Amino acid sequence: MIVTTKQLFDHAYGKYAVGAYNINNAEQTMGLFQGCIDSKAPFIIQISKGARKYTNKLMLESIIRAAGEIFPDAIFAVHLDHGDEETCYECIESGFYSSVMIDASHESFEENVAITKRVTDAAHAKGISVEAELGMLGGVEEDIVVEEGNACLTDPAEAEEFVKLTGCDSLACAIGTSHGAFKFKGKQSLHFDVLEQIRDRLPNYPLVMHGSSSVPQDEVAKINAAGGEIAGSMGVDVKEYLPAAKRGVTKVNIDTDGRLVWTRVHREHFRDNPQDFDFRPAGKVFMAEYAKFIASRNELLGSAGQLDALRESLAK
Ligand code: G3H
Ligand code: 13P
Ligand code: ZN
């Protein structure tokens, strides 16, 4: 069942975070749904502009609709990840997305407000919710690269003002994470002090954490042992997911970790089966491993086991 992110956030706020997972193809989608059903968790499917271009945006929609029929107990929202203004309008008009993200965080505060307000007005007219972003994460997302030095944490006073001026439904805040596999140079914690100040200025308001992959070091070691070269990568401490959720983070974005599962499975499979040229055996292993990975993340986010309670609350 497709629901809005607002419905998911109303149930989760202050208790747990909903996992928001990017998908690009059928195998990833099957693993995602299986993992969420196995762990009895609601979830958010994220589609980036790159994913919409990868095969065809209609193909992704069809895959998601099919997965919804294969897994009729699943409760999820369909969300545009890091949209520009034009793509947001396209998704709002499509009638398929339950929410969109307008990412104008690289613009000035005033321009970010103006763009976000236009998108929010258009989305609300169609009953769709809007995630916006304030502050700048480091790392790479689509065609935008933010150098470490230019990344800046969200200013709590600006966050309050931004939400008031735009009417956006949730806010992605920069609290120390970045996109991709190379987040930190050494051990680093989330900026809980900044998160608490934002929460205090925006009580009961859903906050979003991008760049939340944990980059498991055992996964990286296996990839490198099978021919990969991703030394020095580092991610978010998974023990910090739930404390962040208790402080108002209701959506946690995870993409890179799923790519690492794919890379490990395929590198190991073709290293161990050099004669193989059928992609299905590795694809089968990937779907099962991805489902296991998703279930493990839902446990850490506290969303595991929430499906029945959410279903009941939606029925009221
Ligand atoms: O933040 C970006 C997401 O990880 C999506 O990545 O734009 O390469 O699909 P992508
Ligand atoms: P990661 O690169 O940490 O998985 O972040 C994904 C993300 O924020 C998608 O919007
Ligand atoms: Zn992101």
Side-chain angles (χ1 to χ4, degrees), residues 22 46 81-82 101 137 178-181 183 209-214 253-257:
N22 293 69
Q46 306 208 112
D81 191 27
H82 292 287
M101 176 190 188
L137 276 70
S178 60
H179 290 103
K183 299 189 193 299
M209 185 162 81
H210 282 246
S212 308
S213 279
S214 64
N253 286 16
I254 298 175
D255 184 17
T256 295
D257 282 351

Side-chain angles (χ1 to χ4, degrees), residues 197-214:
Q197 289 172 41
I198 299 171
R199 186 266 328 266
D200 291 348
R201 285 176 175 271
L202 293 167
N204 298 312
Y205 184 86
L207 304 173
V208 177
M209 185 162 81
H210 282 246
S212 308
S213 279
S214 64

Side-chain angles (χ1 to χ4, degrees), residues 8-301:
L8 297 180
F9 295 159
D10 284 349
H11 191 255
Y13 188 87
K15 293 181 293 197
Y16 65 93
V18 183
Y21 304 103
N22 293 69
I23 63 144
N24 293 270
N25 63 17
E27 288 82 353
Q28 222 180 358
T29 311
M30 288 299 282
L32 171 57
F33 276 75
Q34 188 66 62
C36 289
I37 289 299
D38 290 347
S39 56
K40 293 187 183 312
F43 59 106
I44 296 168
I45 296 181
Q46 306 208 112
I47 303 176
S48 70
K49 281 185 288 165
R52 281 162 62 81
K53 272 191 250 151
Y54 171 54
T55 45
N56 182 296
K57 56 197 175 213
L58 293 179
M59 180 66 82
L60 278 183
E61 291 187 19
S62 303
I63 288 172
I64 294 167
R65 282 205 178 90
E69 285 180 33
I70 297 165
F71 299 92
D73 290 340
I75 301 181
F76 59 98
V78 180
H79 176 79
L80 169 69
D81 191 27
H82 292 287
D84 53 28
E85 192 170 2
E86 191 191 332
T87 314
C88 282
Y89 295 143
E90 237 186 74
C91 293
I92 291 165
E93 288 306 316
S94 80
F96 183 64
Y97 289 72
S98 37
S99 62
V100 294
M101 176 190 188
I102 173 66
D103 182 359
S105 57
H106 45 283
E107 303 283 356
S108 67
F109 180 83
E110 291 73 23
E111 194 56 21
N112 191 356
V113 166
I115 295 169
T116 302
K117 171 105 179 61
R118 285 199 293 272
V119 170
T120 304
D121 289 346
H124 285 180
K126 300 258 180 187
I128 290 165
S129 22
V130 175
E131 174 185 325
E133 179 168 333
L134 187 66
M136 256 203 261
L137 276 70
V140 184
E141 67 193 43
E142 303 258 339
D143 36 0
I144 298 170
V145 181
V146 180
E147 300 295 339
E148 276 317 302
N150 293 333
C152 60
L153 300 185
T154 304
D155 178 295
E158 275 192 359
E160 183 183 1
E161 182 73 0
F162 185 86
V163 170
K164 202 161 45 174
L165 291 172
T166 63
C168 64
D169 304 281
S170 60
L171 188 66
C173 301
I175 51 169
T177 64
S178 60
H179 290 103
F182 302 89
K183 299 189 193 299
F184 309 119
K185 296 248 155 50
K187 169 110 188 74
Q188 199 176 311
S189 167
L190 299 178
H191 290 263
F192 284 112
D193 51 336
V194 176
L195 177 58
E196 284 170 2
Q197 289 172 41
I198 299 171
R199 186 266 328 266
D200 291 348
R201 285 176 175 271
L202 293 167
N204 298 312
Y205 184 86
L207 304 173
V208 177
M209 185 162 81
H210 282 246
S212 308
S213 279
S214 64
V215 192
Q217 294 301 296
D218 55 333
E219 196 78 304
V220 172
K222 285 180 193 166
I223 290 170
N224 289 342
E229 287 182 19
I230 40 178
S233 50
M234 177 97 49
V236 173
D237 183 346
V238 292
K239 290 196 212 74
E240 297 194 331
Y241 288 163
L242 214 43
K246 307 268 181 212
R247 291 166 174 81
V249 170
T250 44
K251 175 172 178 276
V252 166
N253 286 16
I254 298 175
D255 184 17
T256 295
D257 282 351
R259 297 179 184 201
L260 294 176
V261 175
W262 188 96
T263 305
R264 185 250 306 162
V265 166
H266 287 81
R267 277 198 179 279
E268 286 188 341
H269 179 83
F270 288 105
R271 176 197 62 190
D272 298 341
N273 302 276
Q275 76 295 345
D276 211 348
F277 54 86
D278 182 353
F279 52 79
R280 289 171 298 190
K284 274 264 178 212
V285 177
F286 170 67
M287 285 188 269
E289 287 293 296
Y290 194 55
K292 260 201 280 176
F293 163 75
I294 292 288
S296 75
R297 268 35 203 171
N298 291 339
E299 293 291 341
L300 293 161
L301 296 170

